[in-house]
Amino acid sequence: MSNLLVTGGAGFIGANFIHYWMSTYPQDKVVVLDALTYAGNKANLESVAENANFYFCQGNICDTHLVETLLKENRIDTLVHFAAESHVDRSISGPDAFIETNIIGTHSLLKAAKKVWLDEGINKDNHRFHHVSTDEVYGTLGPEDPAFSETTPYAPNSPYSASKAASDHLVRAYHHTYGLKVTTSNCSNNYGPYHFPEKLIPLIITNILQNKPLPVYGDGQQIRDWLYVEDHAIGIDLVIKKGCLGECYNLGGINEWKNIDIVKLICNSINEEFIKDTKLADRFPQAKMAQQGRCGDLIKFVTDRAGHDRRYAIDPSKSLENLGYKPKFSFESGINKTIKWFLTNENWWKNSR
């Protein structure tokens, strides 16, 4: 039995991790710390809110004293750190929040963990600080370059990725300097339920249902490796249970797609959904192009964003060989589950905008 503190647990990936963990380990206690900024939503946790082993605390990870209190009062032995500002566009227009949350916030958590677990000796020999990072810290790849491995040098190209790279280094330093028991995972692009509508896949789905343009940056040829969010949760579980202290593990979907091809796939899939289920036209009267099987007509190429990385790709060989990690969802099965979730949960995404 474990006692977990999950930061950012009301966000997209954090909430999916909560659902996975509480279903897989119902005996464990899970405490969520979330500031409930624009992307945090308590509705993401409604299905577990009444569970006696679940506790929600609204607060900021930069509040070191609050973190210390939560660690002590709940005898936390495992801290899983998702809380982050994560939208690249927002980091370009307003980088300060990314520095505050991703760097200073991570350092606040590390200070609290060191004080409680090491200095005060609470769970000194039985603790884990798991830091969730991103493939964007590695920079960008050319079309023929090998995928990012754990030994790829860091070369972040946006304020967001630079702030995450800094937080990765802080976590590593607290292990090597103080002996804090840490692990880090760097994941590729996630998708799935509860995905905030500003990101590519949920934006395309929800814009189609409202007959809005589908913005595609530049020529749409940017390539990303996509990971269904439940596969990410399974990967983190494996890193926590089997990962070596102080090491990093790449978690990827082995699934590279061009942005424009993803948009076209979603368009075709929603066209098919509207053909199969005639009631969708009544539920989504605004979705005129979907009703006509012409979602692709909504695609609109827009000016590329500054510093847009051309390609990301994760090599998860280390996780596969050392942890037994392997994604169980194909992109086709994952995207179908995601589309059906957004079709079924209209109130959620309308209230999240």
Side-chain angles (χ1 to χ4, degrees):
M1 178 177 173
S2 292
N3 297 327
L4 277 71
L5 174 61
V6 181
T7 70
F12 161 49
I13 303 177
N16 278 280
F17 175 81
I18 298 293
H19 293 303
Y20 163 80
W21 195 275
M22 297 195 73
S23 173
T24 307
Y25 305 105
Q27 74 282 4
D28 286 358
K29 180 177 182 178
V30 176
V31 178
V32 168
L33 174 61
D34 199 295
L36 294 181
T37 56
Y38 73 95
N41 188 348
K42 284 187 75 173
N44 297 353
L45 300 170
E46 280 183 354
S47 64
V48 298
E50 301 304 318
N51 190 309
N53 285 337
F54 175 81
Y55 173 70
F56 181 86
C57 175
Q58 182 174 352
N60 197 307
I61 59 173
C62 292
D63 185 344
T64 310
H65 177 71
L66 172 62
V67 178
E68 291 172 6
T69 300
L70 291 173
L71 291 174
K72 285 190 271 193
E73 290 185 350
N74 297 282
R75 303 291 297 184
I76 299 297
D77 54 67
T78 305
L79 193 159
V80 187
H81 177 32
F82 291 98
E85 294 284 348
S86 64
H87 195 244
V88 175
D89 286 357
R90 289 178 184 262
S91 82
I92 293 169
S93 60
D96 288 8
F98 289 73
I99 304 304
E100 178 74 18
T101 298
N102 298 354
I103 302 177
I104 297 174
T106 299
H107 189 222
S108 170
L109 294 173
L110 290 165
K111 287 191 296 182
K114 173 183 175 293
K115 180 178 179 182
V116 174
W117 287 339
L118 300 183
D119 299 344
E120 298 182 10
I122 302 173
N123 287 322
K124 184 172 185 177
D125 298 320
N126 180 34
H127 68 264
R128 177 67 63 92
F129 186 112
H130 182 73
H131 175 58
V132 180
S133 190
T134 172
D135 57 0
E136 295 190 45
V137 298
Y138 299 122
T140 188
L141 292 170
E144 305 303 323
D145 289 340
F148 299 129
S149 74
E150 290 82 357
T151 59
T152 300
Y154 277 26
N157 290 319
S158 70
Y160 161 60
S161 56
S163 67
K164 289 297 289 183
S167 67
D168 292 5
H169 291 317
L170 281 170
V171 172
R172 181 180 187 276
Y174 264 71
H175 171 69
H176 286 277
T177 301
Y178 305 112
L180 196 68
K181 296 183 177 182
V182 309
T183 44
T184 296
S185 55
N186 297 77
C187 70
S188 54
N189 282 30
N190 281 215
Y191 68 99
Y194 304 108
H195 203 174
F196 193 72
E198 71 182 356
K199 298 299 181 77
L200 177 64
I201 288 176
L203 177 69
I204 297 304
I205 295 171
T206 56
N207 275 17
I208 287 172
L209 299 177
Q210 298 170 96
N211 218 50
K212 294 181 178 180
L214 311 180
V216 177
Y217 280 128
D219 59 7
Q221 298 299 305
Q222 301 87 358
I223 296 172
R224 301 292 182 262
D225 176 23
W226 291 91
L227 176 66
Y228 189 64
V229 67
E230 185 178 330
D231 281 326
H232 188 190
I234 292 169
I236 291 172
D237 184 5
L238 288 168
V239 176
I240 292 171
K241 296 292 175 60
K242 298 181 178 181
C244 294
L245 296 179
E247 294 201 11
C248 301
Y249 294 86
N250 283 348
L251 302 174
I254 319 172
N255 178 43
E256 294 184 51
W257 282 72
K258 294 177 181 177
N259 284 352
I260 186 61
D261 291 339
I262 285 182
V263 174
K264 290 178 178 178
L265 174 65
I266 294 172
C267 287
N268 292 335
S269 297
I270 293 183
N271 286 339
E272 293 173 5
E273 289 294 329
F274 271 73
I275 292 171
K276 288 189 296 184
D277 185 353
T278 56
K279 294 180 181 178
L280 289 175
D282 296 327
R283 289 185 49 220
F284 300 101
Q286 290 178 291
K288 300 300 183 184
M289 291 297 101
Q291 294 168 25
Q292 298 173 37
R294 296 168 52 202
C295 292
D297 290 0
L298 293 170
I299 294 173
K300 180 181 179 182
F301 291 92
V302 298
T303 303
D304 209 353
R305 71 181 177 206
H308 200 176
D309 291 331
R310 198 63 175 171
R311 174 176 168 244
Y312 304 139
I314 281 281
D315 177 1
S317 298
K318 178 180 176 180
S319 296
L320 176 63
E321 295 167 5
N322 296 352
L323 308 177
Y325 165 79
K326 186 178 181 181
K328 70 177 183 178
F329 291 94
S330 68
F331 189 67
E332 289 78 3
S333 65
I335 204 69
N336 285 333
K337 284 171 67 70
T338 301
I339 289 171
K340 285 181 169 59
W341 189 89
F342 276 88
L343 289 172
T344 304
N345 292 274
E346 178 185 2
N347 288 336
W348 179 89
W349 55 261
K350 282 190 172 180
N351 292 331
S352 294
R353 283 181 173 269

